[in-house]
Structure formats: structure tokens, C-alpha cells
Amino acid sequence: PRLRHLFLSFSLSIHFQTHNTHAKHKQRTLTLLSFYLILTALAHFETNEFTETEDCLTHIDTKSNNQEEKREMNSLISTSRLVKMVLPSRPQKEGAGVTIRRTIGTNKLDYYDPFLLLDEFNTDNPDEYLAGFPNHPHRGFETVSYMLDGKMLHEDHKGNKGLLGPGAVQWMTAGRGIIHSEMPQMENGKMRGFQMWVNLPAASKMVPPRYQDYQAESIPVVKKEGKTIKIMAGEYDNVKGAVNGIATNPLYMDITLEPNETFSHQIEKGHTTFAYCFEGSGFFGPSESSKSVQESTLVTFETQGDQIDVKAGPKGARFLLAAARPINEPMARYGPFVMNTQEEIQQAFSDFRSGKF
């Protein structure tokens, strides 16, 4: 259209100059008119070009803003983690003959960085637990004891002593070395709870030993419709757990759901995460691909995603939920010692035998 406009202007000029040669004043007038039309066409061309360029830039800017908004929206949308493994626990004997059910620390799951071990003990037969766990050493990691039923007396070679009652938790950082015992304090009744071992990074393996003991009444509990969440470490619904100052920034909660109730919780990106169902049953993972889990069974999750989703079965569910930052360091371990190299393991044995703990 713009070219046609220019062509028409020139044509008019030639036409009037050819047929009006005897009217010079008209020729001048028409020539000026032709130039006017040409200039008008050029102005129209430039204005439209500018407008189209401006529209293009506006479109690009709008597209850029939309992409930024999309990224922001995506950052606000949580992604449910898929289940990686469902592992039923395996019974075995530990200590002086105590029967436990182990999941982490077996040939099926030797190490789940930074988690070294998870044991469930659950018996009402005193013959199975009264012998307890006599004196034994630790170096280079942390032990976490959580009592559901019964009492456990803890003592170490430095004179530290404490009694864990029902519902209590102890987070012990063995650090450079401790020799301790864990002995049940009941002749009759139920003994039920968990022991978890958590690795320490190289920078923290030789720190002084530290205890964090919390009785049931000192551990925060959040109750909502259909669910109860006990927060031993980490945070839930802006409520912080009792245990603090741990190198791997752990989450450790005891969660009870009523029948068919659902539970969701944000998990730190990249943190190793597991659940352990010990009462009832549930469906773990995204609803469209969840896995059915029964009692005394461990569930591990993929690292992609930032949310854990659970739906209780028809009789409800109770489970532990734990997560922590992986250490990603070389590891050497032998029995109660967990270090980074075999030379450090040998040094731990030497220090233990020579009384340097």
C-alpha cells in the first residue's frame, strides 16, 4: 500500500504536467501538491514503522514479563517426591541379646547419606530387653534414641547420666569419642522405641561429645484436624523442634494420622528423606503413583522434589519422617567408629584401647 501511494503521487505529477503545459501557475501548484503527497506517504510509512517497532518491543517485553512470572509461579508450586524404595524391616539381635528390627544398615540399604542405621525395638517380653546395651564406644557420628514406651537409663565414662522416659528423645553427638551404656529400667511392661545413627562431616567428627535430652513434655506437638505432629528436630507449621545445632540440619518427626487423612510437608531441596511406618498403613508419594506401606516398613524418596505426601490407610497410620543434608564425603567405618579413612579408624581403636576417649 505504501508503494502504491508513492506511485500514485508521481503519476499525478506527471499527468498534470503533461496536460497543463500552458498553465504554469497550475503546474507549480500541482507540483507542490505532488511533493505534499510524497511527503505525506513518507510520513505515514515512518509512523507505521515506528508504531510496529514499538508494538514489537512491547510484545517482547510482555513475553519477558510473562516468562519471569511463570518462573516465579513455578518456584511456588511444590513437587511431590516419588518413592524410591519400600523396605520391610528385618529382625536381628543386638547388644546383649535385644531383638530389634533394622532397615538402614542392612545389605539392602547399607548407608543412606547421612543416615547410618535405623532400628526399631518393640517387645513386652523382659527377657528380650533387660540385658540392654552395656558399655560400648562411639566416635565420628551421632546416636538418636527415641522412646515410645518404657524407660532407658543412659550413662557414660565421663559421669553423665540420664533417664529417658516414654516419649523422650536423646540426640547424642559422640564426636571425638564416648563410652556409654543404655540399659532398660523396667522388669515388666512394654519396651518400644527407635535408635538412629547419623553421620558427621569430617569437620565435626572430633568435636567434644554433646547431649540433648528432652522428655516428652519438652517436645513441641502440633495438633490439627485428623493429624498430630511431634517435632523432635526441624520445623513444622512455623513450630521448631526441640533438638538444635546439628551439623546436617535434620528433620525428625513422629506423625499420627486418622483413617484416610492426608499429610504434606515441605522438605529442603536435596535433603535425604525417609519415612518409617510403625502403626497402621498408608500410601506414600504422589497420589497418582503412591506406594502402599504396612507396619515396620521403611520408605525412601527420590531427591527430586520438595514435598512429601502421605495418605493414611483405613485404620490410620503412624510414622517417623526424617530428613537431613547429605554429607557427600568418603566414609570408613568399623563397628562403633565412623570416620573418613581407614587410618582414622585404626587411630580410633588405638585411642580407645589406650584410654584417650
Side-chain angles (χ1 to χ4, degrees), residues 237-252:
D237 200 22
N238 296 318
V239 178
K240 292 185 177 181
V243 176
N244 60 81
I246 303 301
T248 53
N249 189 28
L251 170 77
Y252 193 39

Side-chain angles (χ1 to χ4, degrees), residues 140-164:
F141 65 101
E142 299 175 298
T143 67
V144 184
S145 301
Y146 176 39
M147 300 298 299
L148 296 176
D149 299 298
K151 298 178 181 180
M152 188 79 76
L153 177 66
H154 170 271
E155 294 183 275
D156 69 25
H157 72 300
K158 299 289 187 181
N160 298 304
K161 184 177 181 179
L163 183 64
L164 301 177

Side-chain angles (χ1 to χ4, degrees), residues 15-311:
H15 173 79
F16 281 108
Q17 288 179 34
T18 303
H19 292 85
N20 295 282
T21 55
H22 301 292
K24 292 183 179 180
H25 67 282
K26 288 184 178 181
Q27 180 179 348
R28 288 195 295 269
T29 301
L30 291 172
T31 301
L32 290 173
L33 178 60
S34 298
F35 278 113
Y36 171 76
L37 290 171
I38 291 169
L39 291 173
T40 301
L42 290 172
H44 177 75
F45 176 80
E46 291 176 356
T47 301
N48 279 3
E49 280 296 305
F50 178 78
T51 302
E52 288 183 5
T53 303
E54 187 179 47
D55 289 343
C56 182
L57 290 173
T58 302
H59 175 70
I60 293 171
D61 186 57
T62 302
K63 185 177 180 181
S64 176
N65 288 339
N66 289 340
Q67 289 175 343
E68 187 65 30
E69 289 175 3
K70 187 176 180 180
R71 281 194 293 267
E72 290 179 2
M73 288 297 294
N74 287 338
S75 68
L76 296 175
I77 299 173
S78 297
T79 304
S80 182
R81 290 196 184 191
L82 296 170
V83 169
K84 185 176 183 178
M85 177 188 292
V86 176
L87 181 62
S89 60
R90 185 182 70 184
Q92 62 186 71
K93 298 286 186 180
E94 284 294 315
V98 178
T99 301
I100 56 92
R101 301 189 67 91
R102 181 166 294 173
T103 46
I104 302 176
T106 64
N107 57 359
K108 294 288 184 65
L109 186 59
D110 181 56
Y111 180 47
Y112 193 45
D113 189 6
F115 300 105
L116 295 155
L117 176 144
L118 180 67
D119 287 345
E120 175 189 12
F121 50 93
N122 183 2
T123 180
D124 54 8
N125 180 1
D127 294 335
E128 291 187 355
Y129 63 74
L130 278 181
F133 304 89
N135 278 340
H136 55 280
H138 292 301
R139 174 180 278 185
F141 65 101
E142 299 175 298
T143 67
V144 184
S145 301
Y146 176 39
M147 300 298 299
L148 296 176
D149 299 298
K151 298 178 181 180
M152 188 79 76
L153 177 66
H154 170 271
E155 294 183 275
D156 69 25
H157 72 300
K158 299 289 187 181
N160 298 304
K161 184 177 181 179
L163 183 64
L164 301 177
V169 66
Q170 179 193 78
W171 200 293
M172 184 190 79
T173 303
R176 64 189 178 208
I178 201 77
I179 303 170
H180 76 153
S181 64
E182 297 154 300
M183 304 300 293
Q185 294 297 290
M186 299 176 66
E187 293 185 1
N188 296 293
K190 197 171 185 66
M191 178 66 71
R192 184 168 71 138
F194 298 92
Q195 173 124 141
M196 180 172 70
W197 290 7
V198 185
N199 200 6
L200 283 170
S204 301
K205 285 189 177 295
M206 296 299 285
V207 298
R210 177 193 182 196
Y211 295 94
Q212 294 189 64
D213 290 7
Y214 296 97
Q215 299 300 331
E217 59 272 16
S218 301
I219 302 174
V221 176
V222 175
K223 292 187 177 182
K224 292 186 173 184
E225 185 176 355
K227 63 195 75 172
T228 301
I229 299 94
K230 184 176 182 179
I231 314 159
M232 292 167 281
E235 186 174 329
Y236 175 80
D237 200 22
N238 296 318
V239 178
K240 292 185 177 181
V243 176
N244 60 81
I246 303 301
T248 53
N249 189 28
L251 170 77
Y252 193 39
M253 301 193 299
D254 177 354
I255 300 158
T256 303
L257 301 180
E258 293 182 4
N260 303 311
E261 184 61 62
T262 60
F263 171 84
S264 296
H265 185 63
Q266 294 287 308
I267 298 292
E268 291 281 349
K269 289 185 177 180
H271 279 207
T272 302
T273 307
F274 73 80
Y276 185 85
C277 183
F278 59 96
E279 288 182 13
S281 63
F283 299 91
F284 291 73
S287 57
E288 66 276 9
S289 58
S290 63
K291 302 296 184 183
S292 177
V293 178
Q294 305 301 313
E295 285 186 11
S296 297
T297 300
L298 181 85
V299 184
T300 67
F301 295 89
E302 299 287 356
T303 55
Q304 292 79 19
D306 56 4
Q307 180 171 299
I308 299 299
D309 292 310
V310 182
K311 181 179 180 181

